[in-house]
């Protein structure tokens, strides 16, 4: 291509290009793991469209638009895809089934991208493109696209946060090791996405109201791009195993409760607790409501009600409470290491054991041991 030798890869272009390359490299590692493929697929869409949106920044600082002014309207503005892609990623990570109706969230992004493609290929040379930009695009179309991007992204972030709240409660009600599957990484995704949105707003407002150029908004663009790289790193660190899936509203967790409402749930909860202790099921790592309901020969709704109403606890609190009582006995009995006690009582790590112990006793295992020895 004529003029390519005049491109200048200065430090800004190099920094943007390096960040984009790091994001894509981390994403490739994540995809190659083969874990949560559907969720990672939507995350890949998010990262790719984010990097595409940074292309003008990359080539602009290198002088590409000065050399080839016909690059005006290059179809790289993909902000309308950000919210839907990350929302579908979150849904695929936490829910048991897909909802193709949500794919309609991509309609505004596809429409705007096709509009850019039309302007880039059919408007003529750069003089005609600049004239159309001044007369139509910037006064009318661009503000609608920017406001639409903000609204769509905000709605998707609210959806993710509500879904995350439901998921955390569902984990407590169905998994003894709920902390192991707690989507802390997804919480960080929402926070970082919000940060990206803030800088995105600042950059957009600066560009439109202050007539800021590439150099003026570089810091905001780069911070947003770097935050996306951090999101991928969080995913790389957090998605190392399949996540248990919450049921959608139309599905059930083991059938409806058919027992009469007048049943003595306190008595039933006490009976079930005694059987768990007798068989030492609470010491099994990864014990779930589904597994325990099968052993009792009852549906999950019945078992959950016996625990919630009879023992006034959720499933996680019930099982981990029994584990902590067993652990206290081991601590008092001798000098067994804390990690050995944690693993032998069903916890997946010393960190999760410490958190559960403090939650149930108000003190750490080490402090509890020291207090017992002092007595």
């Amino acid at each position: 291509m004529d003029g390519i030798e005049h491109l200048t890869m200065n430090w800004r272009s190099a920094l943007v290009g390096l960040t984009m390359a790091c994001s894509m490299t981390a994403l490739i590692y994540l995809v190659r793991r083969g874990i949560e493929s559907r969720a990672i697929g939507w995350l890949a869409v998010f990262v790719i469209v984010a990097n595409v949106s940074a292309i003008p920044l990359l080539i602009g600082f290198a002088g590409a638009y000065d050399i080839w002014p016909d690059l005006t309207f290059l179809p790289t503005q993909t902000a309308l895809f950000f919210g839907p892609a990350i929302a579908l990623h979150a849904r695929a990570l936490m829910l048991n089934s897909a909802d193709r109706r949500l794919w309609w969230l991509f309609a505004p992004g596809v429409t705007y991208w096709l509009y850019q493609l039309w302007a880039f290929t059919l408007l003529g040379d750069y003089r005609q493109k600049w004239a159309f930009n001044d007369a139509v695009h910037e006064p009318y179309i661009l503000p609608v696209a920017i406001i639409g991007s903000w609204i769509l992204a905000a709605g998707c972030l609210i959806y993710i946060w509500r879904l995350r709240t439901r998921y955390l409660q569902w984990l407590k009600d169905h998994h003894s090791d709920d902390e192991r599957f707690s989507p802390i990484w997804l919480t960080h995704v929402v926070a970082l996405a919000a940060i990206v949105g803030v800088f995105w707003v600042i950059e957009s407002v600066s560009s439109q109201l202050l007539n800021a150029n590439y150099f003026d908004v570089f810091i905001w663009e780069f911070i947003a791009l770097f935050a996306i790289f951090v999101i991928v790193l969080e995913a790389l660190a957090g998605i190392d195993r399949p996540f248990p899936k919450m049921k959608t509203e139309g599905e059930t967790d083991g059938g409806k409760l058919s027992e009469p409402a007048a049943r003595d749930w306190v008595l039933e909860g006490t009976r079930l607790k005694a059987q768990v202790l007798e068989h030492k099921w609470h010491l099994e790592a990864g014990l779930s409501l589904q597994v325990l309901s099968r052993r009792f020969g009852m549906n999950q709704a019945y078992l959950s009600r016996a625990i919630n109403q009879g023992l006034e606890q959720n499933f996680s609190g019930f099982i981990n409470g029994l584990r902590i009582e067993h652990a206290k006995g081991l601590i008092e009995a001798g000098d067994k290491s804390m990690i050995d006690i944690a693993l032998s009582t069903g916890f997946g790590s010393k960190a999760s054991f410490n958190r559960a112990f403090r939650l149930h006793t108000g003190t750490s295992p080490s402090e509890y041991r020291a207090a017992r020895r002092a007595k």
Side-chain angles (χ1 to χ4, degrees), residues 13-334:
S13 293
L15 199 57
V16 170
L18 180 62
T19 305
M20 293 168 65
C22 289
S23 296
M24 293 304 298
T25 301
L27 182 63
I28 290 170
Y29 274 105
L30 196 55
V31 171
R32 287 174 60 88
R33 282 181 177 177
I35 303 173
E36 292 290 353
S37 299
R38 186 160 56 94
I40 298 307
W42 288 116
L43 181 63
V45 171
F46 172 72
V47 174
I48 290 170
V49 296
N51 281 344
V52 168
S53 72
I55 288 176
L57 196 68
L58 175 67
I59 65 176
F61 285 116
Y65 288 98
D66 296 327
I67 300 170
W68 305 296
D70 282 327
L71 289 176
T72 301
F73 283 113
L74 185 69
T76 57
Q77 300 305 315
T78 54
L80 283 162
F81 292 113
F82 292 176
I86 203 68
L88 285 169
H89 162 70
R91 180 182 176 88
L93 192 71
M94 294 185 286
L95 282 179
N96 194 44
S97 60
D99 187 353
R100 294 186 178 182
R101 292 174 299 178
L102 294 177
W103 291 10
W104 284 103
L105 294 174
F106 287 98
V110 171
T111 302
Y112 188 61
W113 187 86
L114 290 174
Y115 156 74
Q116 294 176 79
L117 183 63
W118 166 81
F120 179 66
T121 58
L122 299 177
L123 272 180
D125 64 14
Y126 70 91
R127 296 178 185 86
Q128 293 169 298
K129 290 179 180 178
W130 288 357
F132 178 81
N133 178 74
D134 294 340
V136 179
H137 179 71
E138 287 197 4
Y140 305 108
I141 297 177
L142 186 59
V144 172
I146 291 174
I147 294 173
S149 299
W150 295 350
I151 293 173
L152 190 57
C156 289
L157 287 178
I158 293 171
Y159 170 79
I160 292 171
W161 196 257
R162 288 178 175 175
L163 188 62
R164 166 195 169 274
T165 302
R166 283 177 50 205
Y167 187 66
L168 289 175
Q169 185 58 51
W170 179 84
L171 283 174
K172 291 180 181 295
D173 291 337
H174 290 79
H175 287 267
S176 59
D177 49 351
D178 58 298
E179 284 197 359
R180 180 173 178 244
F181 294 109
S182 178
I184 296 173
W185 161 79
L186 186 60
T187 305
H188 295 166
V189 167
V190 175
L192 288 172
I195 293 172
V196 170
V198 169
F199 289 122
W200 175 29
V201 170
I202 293 174
E203 183 270 331
S204 299
V205 171
S206 300
S207 297
Q208 296 301 307
L209 300 183
L210 305 178
N211 294 319
N213 57 30
Y214 279 140
F215 296 93
D216 297 326
V217 301
F218 170 75
I219 184 61
W220 311 118
E221 292 271 11
F222 176 73
I223 290 174
L225 191 62
F226 186 79
I228 291 169
F229 170 53
V230 174
I231 286 173
V232 184
L233 288 183
E234 287 278 351
L236 190 63
I239 304 181
D240 57 354
R241 59 192 177 274
F243 276 50
K245 298 293 185 286
M246 179 171 58
K247 305 294 183 181
T248 57
E249 292 183 1
E251 297 174 311
T252 60
D253 284 312
K256 296 182 179 180
L257 182 63
S258 58
E259 298 295 326
R263 192 176 187 88
D264 188 342
W265 292 109
V266 174
L267 180 63
E268 185 67 353
T270 303
R271 182 184 71 82
L272 297 175
K273 177 180 178 180
Q275 290 189 47
V276 170
L277 288 170
E278 178 184 354
H279 295 285
K280 298 185 178 180
W281 287 329
H282 58 294
L283 303 181
E284 296 178 11
L287 184 66
S288 67
L289 183 73
Q290 183 181 40
V291 170
L292 198 58
S293 65
R294 288 175 181 171
R295 292 179 181 174
F296 281 127
M298 60 183 63
N299 61 46
Q300 294 179 53
Y302 183 93
L303 178 58
S304 180
R305 187 167 178 180
I307 294 172
N308 295 342
Q309 292 186 218
L311 302 176
E312 297 184 345
Q313 293 178 293
N314 56 44
F315 181 76
S316 175
F318 165 56
I319 296 299
N320 286 333
L322 298 181
R323 289 172 175 173
I324 294 305
E325 290 302 314
H326 186 79
K328 287 163 67 175
L330 295 178
I331 291 173
E332 296 169 6

